[in-house]
């Protein structure tokens, strides 16, 4: 009588693993280092744009941020893993005490793996997000740009813009309104006040409406203090809105126009560079721009790609500011943004021409 053949269990490893299992294992290894490795709500950090070389951009960002981070906050401190492990071996045989020690060691090891600066996946090409821990992104980035503006020393090759991100939330209008009501208070809630502008940029997102977002955020700023006014020429504060997929990144920065929209390549340029025009030619070019803008409202000679990348606007109801045509003001800012080096030279040589660019 023949005996039935027993089939080997399927869990013996005869089948190949599915692709999903490899992906899950890869994500698990990434999370072992502590914290999330992709852009999500609840993070603080620095949003960096680059020129087709993200790996080199991350290297330059680490070098630059560590240099100025050590200058502002001191060198980064790490815990000795060997000393921590030896200290966890106690002589107490109590099971509960041993369990508490083990939990404490796990938490300490996780905190030890968290670095001051950590690159995470941004979700967009040519965009790098550096998560920060224990620092204030606005102060650090402003310190970097201020030093580069004064010294005119170029320290990066592939990094273009460096924007601090003070908070992130879900990229849905209701979530953004709820988050912005408390996020904007330190700068605009009474007794604090100031002039402002809103800069909007969206990547890999199609469900958000630019004009609607700007209108709602400007309304929130006005509700915090009625003395907050719009200024597109030289605002005291710039509200930066960067949307990537389903995440909205917000920040409020100073000297946005002075530091060339936080562009590290442009901020080191000066009027003495041979590649730029001389002061007389720059002033004449600025006056020519002004004449074109005043002669007709239909003039739109700036680069359309630049206008899409750097969209700045204010709410439509600006009657209290005496702005009857906000669209023309947006064109002025965009055209000025197309050639920031000309604007800087006009500012340095002729203060009156700067006041006319409105």
């Amino acid at each position: 009588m023949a005996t039935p053949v027993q089939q080997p269990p399927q869990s013996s490893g005869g089948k190949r693993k599915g692709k999903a299992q490899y992906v899950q294992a890869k994500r698990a290894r990434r999370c072992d280092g502590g914290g999330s490795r992709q852009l999500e709500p609840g993070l603080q950090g620095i949003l960096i744009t680059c020129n087709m070389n993200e790996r080199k951009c991350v290297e330059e960002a680490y070098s630059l941020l560590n240099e100025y981070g050590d200058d502002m906050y001191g060198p980064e401190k790490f815990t000795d893993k060997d000393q921590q492990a030896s200290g966890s071996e106690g002589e107490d045989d109590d099971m509960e005490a041993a369990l508490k020690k083990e939990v404490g060691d796990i938490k300490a090891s996780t905190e030890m793996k968290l670095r001051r600066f950590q690159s995470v996946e941004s979700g967009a090409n040519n965009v790098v997000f550096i998560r920060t821990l224990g620092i204030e992104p606005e102060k650090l980035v402003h310190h970097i740009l201020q030093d580069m503006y004064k010294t005119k020393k170029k320290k990066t090759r592939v990094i273009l813009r460096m924007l601090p991100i003070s908070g992130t939330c879900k990229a849905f209008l209701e979530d953004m309104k709820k988050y912005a009501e408390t996020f904007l208070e330190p700068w605009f809630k009474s007794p604090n006040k100031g002039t402002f502008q809103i800069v909007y940029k969206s990547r890999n997102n199609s469900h958000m409406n630019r004009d609607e977002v700007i209108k709602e955020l400007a309304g929130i700023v006005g509700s915090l203090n009625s003395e907050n006014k719009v200024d597109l020429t030289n605002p005291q504060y710039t509200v930066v809105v960067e949307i990537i997929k389903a995440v909205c990144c917000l920040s409020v920065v100073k000297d946005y126009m002075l530091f060339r929209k936080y562009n590290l390549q442009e901020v080191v340029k000066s009027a003495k560079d041979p590649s730029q025009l001389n002061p007389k030619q720059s002033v004449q070019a600025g006056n020519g721009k002004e004449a074109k803008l005043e002669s007709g409202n239909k003039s739109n000679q700036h680069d359309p790609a630049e206008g899409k990348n750097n969209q700045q606007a204010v709410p439509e109801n600006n009657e209290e500011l005496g702005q009857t045509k906000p669209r023309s003001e947006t064109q002025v800012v965009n055209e000025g943004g197309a050639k920031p080096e000309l604007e800087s030279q006009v500012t340095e040589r002729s203060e009156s021409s700067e006041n006319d660019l409105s």
Side-chain angles (χ1 to χ4, degrees):
M1 184 176 179
T3 57
V5 179
Q6 296 181 355
Q7 296 181 355
Q10 296 181 356
S11 61
S12 60
K15 292 185 177 180
R16 296 177 60 184
K17 288 185 178 180
K19 184 177 180 181
Q21 292 177 316
Y22 286 107
V23 173
Q24 292 176 359
K26 186 177 180 180
R27 291 178 179 176
R29 288 196 300 270
R30 285 183 175 182
C31 294
D32 288 342
S36 174
R37 294 300 299 270
Q38 62 182 358
L39 181 60
E40 63 182 11
L43 295 182
Q44 283 188 340
I46 300 170
L47 188 70
I48 302 173
T49 61
C50 61
N51 189 10
M52 303 299 294
N53 195 339
E54 295 184 15
R55 180 174 296 182
K56 181 65 176 177
C57 176
V58 173
E59 294 177 359
E60 288 186 353
Y62 281 154
S63 176
L64 190 66
L65 294 175
N66 284 320
E67 176 186 351
Y68 287 92
D70 293 346
D71 183 31
M72 291 186 65
Y73 301 96
E76 190 173 4
K77 297 180 181 180
F78 300 97
T79 306
D80 191 354
K81 187 175 181 180
D82 296 334
Q83 293 180 359
Q84 187 144 14
S86 62
S88 63
E89 298 177 358
E91 298 179 356
D92 192 359
D93 295 334
D94 187 6
M95 185 64 68
E96 184 177 358
L99 182 61
K100 289 182 179 180
K101 288 183 178 181
E102 185 175 358
V103 172
D105 292 341
I106 294 174
K107 291 182 178 179
S109 62
T110 303
E111 293 177 356
M112 180 183 61
K113 294 178 182 179
L114 290 176
R115 301 293 302 271
R116 179 183 288 174
F117 304 107
Q118 179 64 57
S119 174
V120 301
E121 297 179 3
S122 64
N125 293 330
N126 299 325
V127 178
V128 174
F129 189 88
I130 305 295
R131 185 193 64 198
T132 59
L133 181 66
I135 68 170
E136 297 179 88
E138 306 99 336
K139 292 184 178 180
L140 178 60
V141 175
H142 190 274
H143 177 62
I144 294 173
L145 288 164
Q146 190 174 31
D147 182 68
M148 295 180 67
Y149 179 78
K150 291 180 179 179
T151 61
K152 301 298 180 183
K153 183 178 180 181
K154 187 175 181 179
K155 296 189 176 183
T156 61
R157 300 185 65 181
V158 299
I159 293 179
L160 299 179
R161 301 177 69 200
M162 181 176 285
L163 297 172
I165 302 300
S166 304
T168 55
C169 64
K170 294 181 179 180
F172 297 95
L173 187 60
E174 294 300 325
D175 296 275
M176 293 172 61
K177 288 168 58 178
K178 184 178 179 181
Y179 184 79
E181 288 176 355
T182 56
F183 175 81
L184 297 173
E185 287 183 355
W187 297 276
F188 300 108
K189 187 176 181 179
S190 180
N192 298 325
K193 62 179 180 179
T195 58
F196 72 97
Q197 67 175 348
I198 296 176
V199 180
Y200 178 92
K201 175 67 179 178
S202 178
R203 299 179 177 88
N204 299 338
N205 182 291
S206 59
H207 68 271
M208 296 300 300
N209 184 278
R210 168 185 172 273
D211 295 334
E212 191 175 2
V213 171
I214 291 175
K215 182 178 179 181
E216 293 293 340
L217 292 180
I220 293 174
V221 174
S223 64
L224 293 175
N225 191 338
S226 60
E227 296 184 6
N228 294 324
K229 303 298 181 181
V230 176
D231 184 0
L232 299 180
T233 304
N234 187 23
Q236 185 178 358
Y237 300 109
T238 297
V239 181
V240 178
V241 183
E242 293 279 342
I243 295 179
I244 302 178
K245 289 187 175 180
V247 180
C248 174
C249 304
L250 291 174
S251 64
V252 179
V253 299
K254 295 181 178 180
D255 300 322
Y256 186 75
M257 305 305 293
L258 178 65
F259 293 155
R260 307 294 193 275
K261 301 180 180 180
Y262 279 44
N263 190 315
L264 270 62
Q265 303 298 323
E266 298 292 335
V267 76
V268 296
K269 294 182 179 180
S270 62
K272 297 180 181 180
D273 291 341
S275 61
Q276 298 185 5
L277 300 174
N278 58 50
K280 293 182 179 180
Q281 292 177 345
S282 64
V283 173
Q284 292 175 358
N287 293 334
K289 274 187 181 182
E290 177 188 354
K292 290 180 181 179
L293 292 173
E294 290 181 352
S295 61
N297 293 328
K298 295 182 181 180
S299 62
N300 189 13
Q301 301 179 1
H302 61 279
D303 188 2
E306 182 70 15
K308 292 181 180 179
N309 293 333
N310 298 311
Q311 298 174 346
Q312 303 178 8
V314 296
E316 297 177 358
N317 50 352
N318 291 327
E319 296 178 358
E320 60 180 3
L321 301 178
Q323 299 173 354
T324 58
K325 295 183 180 180
R327 179 173 297 180
S328 62
E329 290 182 345
T330 306
Q331 294 175 355
V332 174
V333 177
N334 288 335
E335 185 166 0
K339 295 183 178 180
E341 62 273 9
L342 295 179
E343 181 183 351
S344 65
Q345 294 169 356
V346 175
T347 304
E348 294 174 357
R349 297 294 187 270
S350 176
E351 184 177 1
S352 61
S353 63
E354 178 189 2
N355 296 328
D356 292 337
L357 287 175
S358 57

